Amino acid sequence: MLYIKCPYCGIRAQTEFAYGGDATVKRPELNKEITDKEWDEFVYLRKSLRGKHLEFWHHISGCRQWFKVQRDTTTHEIFKTLKPHEEL
Amino acid sequence: MSQNFRLEKEGLINRSKKISFKFNGKSFFGYEGDTLASALIANGVHLVGRSFKYHRPRGFFGAGVDDPYALVQLIRNNESIPNVKATEQELFEGLEAKSVNCWPNVNFDIGGINNFLRIFLPAGFYYKTFMWPKSFWYKIYEPFIRKAAGFGVVSHEPDKERYEHKYEYCDLLITGSGPSGIASAYSAAKNGAKVILAEDKPRFGGSLLTSDVNIGNESGKEWADKIITELKSMPNVVVKNRAQVFGYYDHNMLVMSERLTEHLPKSDKFTPKQKLWYIRAKEVVISSGSIERPLVFGNNDTPGVLLSSAAKEYMKVYGVLVGKKPIIFTNNDSAYETAIEFKKNGIDPVVLDSRKELSSDLINEAKNLNIKIKFEHVVVNANGYRKVKSADIAKISDDKTAIGKVEKIECDCICVSGFWTPTIHLASQSGGKTKFSKEIDAFLPDKSKQNETTVGSANGIFNLQDTLNNSFEVGYNLSNKITKKENKQSTPTVVEKKSSKHDKFWCVPLPEGKKYKRFLDFQNDVSVSDIEIALKEGYRSIEHVKRYTTLGMATDQGKTSNLNGLQLVSNIENKVVPEVGHTTFRPPYTPVSIGAIVGREIGKHSKPLRKSPMHSWHENNNAVFVDAGLWLRPRYYKRGNENLFDASKREAMNVRKNVGVCDVTTLGKIDVKGPDAAEFLNRVYTNAWLKLPVGKARYGVMLREDGIVMDDGTTTRVSENHYHMTTTTAQAANVLSHLEYYLQIVWPELNVNVVSTTEQWAGAAIAGPKSRDLLQKLFPDLDCSNEGLPFMGFVETKLFGVYARIFRISFSGELAYEVNVESNNGNFMWEKIIEIGEEYKIQPYGTEALSTLRIEMGHVAGSELDGRTTPYDNSLEGLLSKKKDFIGKRSLQKEAFIASKREKIVGVVPLDKKTSIPEGSYIVRDANSKLPIPKLGHVSASCWSVEYDNPFSLAIIKDGKNMIGQKLFALSPLKNKSIPVEIVSSHYVDPKGERVRS
Ligand SMILES: [Zn+2]
């Protein structure tokens, strides 16, 4: 079971969190004309990275904040956790 | 029966307390402190079961967790427990155990015929033989194998025992209480660290219980007892016996199973049988020791052949002789301790040492005691079927490839020692690397991945002084890192005997013309020839060899077999062991009962239960409940002998005719507040929200980004910057996370907050033509007219002095209102509605009637919004704003979504107006066409229309719009039904929606 440091609450067990997907994906702006390909990439296409991955987690049984986690997808090592608008 | 093999004095058992027990129906007795194994051996019983594949007789090979095959069926407290290790099961008064794997009994076993047919059961046998013909598998092979093989029998009764889970945090977790574990625990605890010391056996001390050493002025055991006593008294230390740390998981999470009552005749009501500890440790010290390796020779699985360390443990801990004419067969010094122990107890052993004559403290001591030692000698074969009767021994050549003249000597046990294998399972499970040590011919932990340190013989240190020096230091250094304290303990001085080097020899060659089975894996009956066959057949990777031959599999996990298997593969392949590599160590190290994994989360405790504030009223009024997510909701209120169908029909008809009341507390409720709330709703919902006035509600649909409908519900503008959103019961949690995602990550510039208020409000839906009259009586001061409180209107008011919110919304399609009060007033509201509603013939209605009402109105719900349908499919396109952007809008342009023959929701009525259509049925054009019949769509929800008194269903079918009026078929292969149907509009009742606005 992972041990995750919520940037707001501190270190908590994995059972308090929900995984939230790739944190490098940016939603296209509202009302912006974009191609089908761009939209499909946003909705469906994700890299299945081996190694360091930046992802969202949601402290669902805690402060209910979303935040970013940099995790190794093979070893589960967590290098860093960040608030949503902090950059690595 | 008398205990012919029990010693007078030796051992740690309590001879003043006799314990009687039964094995295979026969009565015996042992002493307090015995294991089932030691008590059986004391009584001269060595045959405990049959082996898995060949059904060969099985005895005891170890004295604890190392034993691969002394498995029994235990009867304890009227429960039958399979695969209990006799070497670990402590004796209790009235214990009953039976042999497993034998039929009809352990002495005469029909499966034993496999042993004589074993030429037909080589490696990969199951893969090869039973694959063809396929039909034979089910009828002939499989039942035969099940009957003849397999381990113990699982009970079909529910497990009555209690199991618990515990979460714990510590600075240091130490896995084993041998010298290295005790030393590191003591050193760390004295330096202020929070320590957990876990020992899987009942007694602490590990090898100190059986070895002849002094630490300081005391014996090893006295020293261990003293330190353990001190550790137990320290507030920062938890010391646990009967506790096995069996798994090392991510981020230094380890799991330990503690056996609390298995050594007692029965558990008291509130004491769990086992407790599973989830331990998050800052540092882990692996002090799991080492297991003696077997030597491999002909018929080395015969009962009476066992590890020399086990023979010593039976003497020194249990005061039991494994035999009175022992042969000790060794390639190293440690077996001499066993020989000396036999001698001290008046037994004359013969030592066969594969090495050339040499001297050391131990060998010299054995010589001085006049123990007969034959150097350069080996056991070639064990004779005897159910128990060793004699051994064929021979001189072995210098290069260990040839044996001399075979000579037979009588014996009743053969104690083997092929040196020691460090127990590195936990170190490897942590993700750490391993390295092969030529010094000890075994793998050792290499670079650690998590915060673990391996000490003592688990790390290949077999000398006690070195072990203590290192462990004291490790304990200090690790604790110093955490506590920053500097209380260093001095390491005591050890008096121990020096050992000479072990011999790399491990497998005795076969004598000319003999084809003795030489076993590597005793649990899975894997022999030298099986590995040879696997390699001959082209299996090279050790992982493949393992699976093909079953070497090192099952509950034993290769504890005694692993290294010998690797040695053999490397010999045949002319490689060195590290090149062959080893198979992956996986948790659990020892079997864990399912009950312990499940813990208390069984039955009603398997998930949280949510009840509305009106729950007890429902209970008192014969509600029959149904699970709705975690909620319990009334499905119907039973009157007399009514069944579900009758009751729900009555309740639904009463809503259409008079007025009904339904508990809608379970609907998800979210408060949306802030100056940008309207803008936020406008982006989340597909329809327009900017112009919704205060005091009005609006129905909304939200999509996922892929254009699929996520949820629907009404949202009400309570005040300028305050909205009250409702969601379906099922999607409440997901919708909240969804909103939080967009607010926190995508549009943080919006000044909006969301919070769940589901449990703050109790809700009652009042529906039916008489609902306005009832509402007026409930709220006499309120203008309840169509003008005063119009459709989709909202007011805040008081219900007999209690704050209440009224929403004029309808799910049933009738004139309806939803009243919310604070949860603690829910029951008061409900009782008032029932009391005052009596004159309007009010009846409560449950979820079944609720469904009926919405289905015949054509309102979509979870069965249509099933995560696969678009707004078009559900005829919700009227709610799609063309002017603004919203979540998922861009996906609606997808070709597949706008295809002309896209699915659409329709109504379905059986032509005979009688036959109900099962939910999930397929709609097809021609029920008699060739298989597979092309599917047009499926029936999503069915009811008995109370308006028309005939069955009615909703379906989502291809090109639905143009299908109305067509005669098709509903097929349910599950129910074996083919029903001719007509497609009609999904709005079966009141298609213009006049009633809700009346
Ligand atoms: Zn948090």
Side-chain angles (χ1 to χ4, degrees), chain A residues 27, chain B residues 683-684 703-705 738 742 747 885-889:
Chain A
R27 191 194 190 278
Chain B
R683 297 178 186 186
V684 166
L703 307 185
R704 311 191 307 218
E705 291 286 18
H738 177 80
Y742 283 92
W747 303 312
D885 200 359
F886 52 83
I887 293 170
K889 186 178 191 183

Side-chain angles (χ1 to χ4, degrees), chain A residues 1-4 12-15 20 22 25 27 29-32 34-37 39-40 42-44 56 58 60 64-67 75-78 84-85, chain B residues 167 169 249-251 253 278 280 449 679 683 705-706 733 736-738 740-742 744-748 883-894 897:
Chain A
M1 201 200 306
L2 308 187
Y3 216 22
I4 301 171
R12 303 294 180 90
Q14 187 186 342
T15 44
D22 191 334
V25 176
R27 191 194 190 278
E29 279 172 46
L30 288 168
N31 300 307
K32 197 180 158 200
I34 55 168
T35 63
D36 285 351
K37 190 166 174 285
W39 183 254
D40 283 350
F42 158 64
V43 176
Y44 299 106
F56 282 122
H58 189 195
I60 200 155
R64 294 212 58 100
Q65 296 299 305
W66 289 81
F67 59 96
T75 65
H76 288 313
E77 188 180 347
I78 291 176
H85 299 282
Chain B
Y167 290 82
Y169 299 82
Y249 301 90
D250 292 306
H251 297 185
M253 158 72 82
Y278 292 86
R280 187 81 68 172
K449 191 196 136 204
E679 172 61 25
R683 297 178 186 186
E705 291 286 18
D706 63 1
L736 185 65
S737 290
H738 177 80
E740 286 167 338
Y741 176 84
Y742 283 92
Q744 293 172 24
I745 290 172
V746 185
W747 303 312
K883 289 182 195 141
K884 54 138 196 178
D885 200 359
F886 52 83
I887 293 170
K889 186 178 191 183
R890 182 64 178 75
S891 289
L892 298 177
Q893 297 173 21
K894 267 196 295 196
F897 284 7

Side-chain angles (χ1 to χ4, degrees), chain B residues 947-966:
Chain B
E947 184 91 7
Y948 296 104
D949 202 22
N950 58 248
F952 175 74
S953 297
L954 292 175
I956 297 177
I957 63 171
K958 268 189 197 127
D959 201 18
K961 218 180 201 170
N962 297 317
M963 290 293 195
I964 292 183
Q966 298 218 28

Side-chain angles (χ1 to χ4, degrees), chain B residues 252-277:
Chain B
N252 261 37
M253 158 72 82
L254 292 96
V255 185
M256 171 172 97
S257 69
E258 184 189 3
R259 307 180 304 276
L260 288 142
T261 58
E262 275 155 282
H263 60 293
L264 304 170
K266 76 193 260 210
S267 327
D268 72 66
K269 201 174 164 199
F270 299 109
T271 307
K273 181 178 172 188
Q274 286 176 23
K275 196 187 273 182
L276 213 60
W277 294 56

Side-chain angles (χ1 to χ4, degrees), chain B residues 500-520:
Chain B
S500 53
K501 234 181 126 16
H502 80 285
D503 189 355
K504 292 191 178 296
F505 165 81
W506 61 279
C507 183
V508 181
L510 287 175
E512 198 127 344
K514 298 287 186 188
K515 284 192 170 172
Y516 301 132
K517 267 294 195 216
R518 292 171 296 171
F519 285 93
L520 293 167

Side-chain angles (χ1 to χ4, degrees), chain B residues 654-668:
Chain B
N654 192 57
V655 171
R656 294 268 183 255
K657 223 166 78 191
N658 300 306
V659 59
V661 59
C662 182
D663 186 346
V664 292
T665 302
T666 62
L667 282 185

